[in-house]
Amino acid sequence: MTSSPIIQVSGLRKVYKGSLKPAVDQLSFAVEEGEIFGLLGPNGAGKSTTLMMLCGLLKSDAGSIRVFGLDAGRSSNEIRRRIGVAPQEIALFPALTAWENLVYFCRMYGVKGAAIRPAVRGLLEEFGLLEKADVRVLHYSGGMKRRLNLIAALLHRPGLLILDEPTSGVDVQSRTMILDYMRRLRDKGVTILYSSHLLGEAEQICSQLAIIDEGRLIAGGTLSQMLAENNESESLEQLFLNLTGKGIRD
């Protein structure tokens, strides 16, 4: 008997007030436990809207989302306690030190008392930031902020991690560190939903992919499956351009 997907999205639809077109339109996909699932699409495809609905930060107009078997509309608080989210925008307090930021997030996620110090120290060390723990975040480089942003999502050891552009604007060393850590989390059974414009990264780390455009799923499955179904493409980048076009998206 197979287990249910960690994430099950069915017929999801969202239209923003004042818009004539839906941001997400009849979108369906499933994410299985212990995989890195890539949600890809050009600018304006509906990726961020979908992620916000998954996290319970935005209500859908139609369709359903189940996370850990729970209805996202009815059990959003319980779901949020079990997931870690690293948004595209850096969600840190710049006037606080890295340590102060992480203690705050520990308490927000319910990590308390004697458990806080080892949780914070261990992840700062893992991501090469322990020596800068007492430096205010406003003095951090872009790569350091991006790593700290990811640490904040990991403090409570979530079973599901949702990452929106986790390596945006970072140097090669930081990118390599983040991707290697994602692989190690996957090997420990953590499920990762990963959204990015960096198709080479997605090709490296994702076992399953979904390409969306104009809020709709236009291709899904393993990379080899999608290439077999679109035999004019030899790589994920070629496939992406063939499906979404080469026009500039703003």
Side-chain angles (χ1 to χ4, degrees):
M1 184 177 178
T2 58
S3 60
S4 299
I6 293 294
I7 298 173
Q8 181 73 62
V9 174
S10 302
L12 197 62
R13 181 177 171 86
K14 179 65 183 181
V15 183
Y16 287 108
K17 187 176 181 179
S19 177
L20 298 177
K21 293 177 63 177
V24 175
D25 190 11
Q26 299 298 317
L27 182 62
S28 299
F29 63 88
V31 180
E32 302 295 335
E33 184 175 4
E35 71 179 4
I36 301 178
F37 184 99
L39 183 64
L40 311 176
N43 286 341
K47 301 187 302 298
S48 294
T49 298
T50 300
L51 295 182
M52 285 193 290
M53 288 189 285
L54 279 167
C55 298
L57 300 176
L58 188 66
K59 289 186 177 181
S60 64
D61 295 326
S64 67
I65 301 172
R66 299 193 74 82
V67 182
F68 299 113
L70 302 170
D71 186 301
R74 299 176 181 176
S75 306
S76 59
N77 289 338
E78 183 175 350
I79 289 169
R80 278 198 290 267
R81 286 194 292 268
R82 297 174 63 182
I83 67 175
V85 181
Q88 181 177 358
E89 299 298 324
I90 299 295
L92 301 167
F93 299 101
L96 300 183
T97 68
W99 190 277
E100 290 167 342
N101 267 277
L102 296 181
V103 168
Y104 170 85
F105 284 108
C106 274
R107 290 172 176 157
M108 187 181 78
Y109 281 123
V111 181
K112 298 177 182 178
I116 291 178
R117 184 174 182 82
V120 171
R121 183 181 177 85
L123 285 166
L124 284 171
E125 188 169 18
E126 181 84 34
F127 282 84
L129 293 174
L130 187 58
E131 292 184 0
K132 303 289 186 179
D134 295 322
V135 175
R136 290 186 181 185
V137 169
L138 62 90
H139 298 301
Y140 271 28
S141 68
M144 292 166 70
K145 289 176 183 176
R146 187 63 64 183
R147 280 180 274 154
L148 191 63
N149 203 49
L150 180 54
I151 290 172
L154 294 167
L155 291 162
H156 57 308
R157 298 182 179 180
L160 170 63
L161 194 57
I162 297 177
L163 306 178
D164 192 3
E165 303 286 352
T167 62
S168 176
V170 306
D171 55 72
V172 173
Q173 289 81 5
S174 291
R175 175 174 289 115
T176 300
M177 175 183 290
I178 290 169
L179 295 181
D180 285 346
Y181 194 80
M182 288 170 64
R183 292 186 185 98
R184 293 203 299 276
L185 287 174
R186 174 203 60 199
D187 292 344
K188 292 177 181 177
V190 176
T191 306
I192 300 173
L193 176 58
Y194 158 95
S195 179
S196 179
H197 288 97
L198 300 174
L199 301 181
E201 276 188 16
E203 197 163 354
Q204 287 180 52
I205 65 171
C206 295
S207 52
Q208 294 281 330
L209 298 160
I211 299 176
I212 66 174
D213 197 12
E214 297 183 342
R216 295 187 176 188
L217 180 71
I218 56 174
T222 66
L223 178 58
S224 59
Q225 287 170 341
M226 291 194 296
L227 292 178
E229 292 168 2
N230 298 267
N231 53 22
E232 295 180 357
S233 306
E234 296 181 356
S235 68
L236 178 58
E237 183 172 336
Q238 280 187 344
L239 174 67
F240 187 90
L241 290 173
N242 287 339
L243 292 173
T244 64
K246 297 182 180 180
I248 301 297
R249 305 291 185 95
D250 295 320

